[in-house]
Each structure stands twice: as structure tokens, then as C-alpha cells.
């Protein structure tokens, strides 16, 4: 029992498998946020995921690009080990919002290993920007759902 919630997020494995389809059929969902890495192969999964959610009438609230860059903690040099910008490009092509980038950072991994996700303790991370964007997109979707059907009368 979670009590009253504003949001309930499900972190699902990649792809368009049974879990996603079962949830789409059994649970009323506001929308889906898709997390990807910037590589072409991962982006193909995103394209298929968006298509699947479209088929089951679940809006894609946006795309997040994980492992977007690495900044050396010693010298500050930024590198795009897994490429960069693929998530944003896919969002533009798919006409869905881009929610933000998550860099490869040691503090993210260390906090997760300790069981204390960095998003709970560090309010300046990319997670705050992504969470804010996701809340805004959810509000937009909820507003659309409240408007009801559109009726057109031709005379």
C-alpha cells in the first residue's frame, strides 16, 4: 500500500515485451517516458516502443537520453563515449518531447550502489530537470484527457 500518490513510475526492461503490453491492457496509464542511450541500436528500440504505445493509445510523454556524456572528475574533459544527441534527435523525429540528458557520473553510480539514489539527495542534477519536464508533460496530457471528445457539426 502506497497511500495517496501524485505519480507512480514503473521502471521496465527495454523493448516492447509482454510486461509493457500487459500493463497497457490492464492499468490506466497517463503515458510512457522512454529512456534510451544515444546509440543507433538502442534508438531502434525507442522507435518500436513509441509505435507500440501508439497502437495501444498510450501517449509517449517524452524521451530521456541516459549515458549522454562522461565528464572526467580529474580534468573536467567531457566525452561522448556512447555518442550524443540520439535521444533528442529521436524525440524530434517522433514528435514527442525531449525530457533531458543523464550523464555518466561516478556520484550517480555510487549513490545507487548505496541504495540512496542521487535524485533524492542532489537537487541540482539532470534528474531534477527531467522530473520537472515529466511533470509538465503529464499535466498537459491530463488536461487533454479532461477536455473530452471533440464534436464537429457540418451543416
Amino acid at each position: 500500500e502506497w497511500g495517496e500518490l501524485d505519480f507512480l513510475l514503473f521502471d521496465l526492461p527495454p523493448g516492447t515485451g509482454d510486461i509493457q503490453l500487459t500493463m497497457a491492457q490492464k492499468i490506466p496509464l497517463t503515458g510512457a517516458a522512454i529512456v534510451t542511450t544515444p546509440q543507433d541500436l538502442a534508438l531502434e528500440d525507442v522507435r518500436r516502443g513509441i509505435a507500440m504505445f501508439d497502437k495501444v493509445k498510450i501517449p509517449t510523454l517524452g524521451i530521456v537520453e541516459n549515458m549522454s556524456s562522461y565528464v572526467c572528475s580529474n580534468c573536467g574533459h567531457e566525452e561522448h563515449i556512447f555518442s550524443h544527441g540520439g535521444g533528442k534527435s529521436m524525440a524530434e523525429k517522433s514528435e514527442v518531447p525531449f525530457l533531458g540528458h543523464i550523464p555518466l557520473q561516478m556520484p550517480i553510480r555510487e549513490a545507487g550502489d548505496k541504495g540512496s539514489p542521487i535524485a533524492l539527495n542532489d537537487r541540482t542534477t539532470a534528474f531534477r530537470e527531467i522530473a520537472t519536464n515529466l511533470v509538465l508533460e503529464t499535466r498537459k496530457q491530463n488536461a487533454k484527457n479532461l477536455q473530452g471528445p471533440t464534436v464537429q457539426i457540418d451543416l
Side-chain angles (χ1 to χ4, degrees), residues 74-101:
N74 291 322
C75 70
H77 177 72
E78 181 178 23
E79 290 200 66
H80 302 288
I81 298 170
F82 298 105
S83 189
H84 180 77
K88 187 171 187 174
S89 175
M90 179 60 71
E92 290 168 358
K93 287 178 191 170
S94 303
E95 298 179 346
V96 300
F98 182 69
L99 301 174
H101 297 94

Side-chain angles (χ1 to χ4, degrees), residues 32-37 43 46-47 50 60-66 86-101 130 133-134 137:
I34 299 177
V35 179
T36 185
T37 57
L43 296 168
V46 172
R47 187 192 60 71
I50 291 170
T60 300
L61 299 174
I63 296 175
V64 174
E65 184 175 286
N66 194 13
K88 187 171 187 174
S89 175
M90 179 60 71
E92 290 168 358
K93 287 178 191 170
S94 303
E95 298 179 346
V96 300
F98 182 69
L99 301 174
H101 297 94
I130 292 166
N133 290 337
L134 187 55
E137 292 305 321

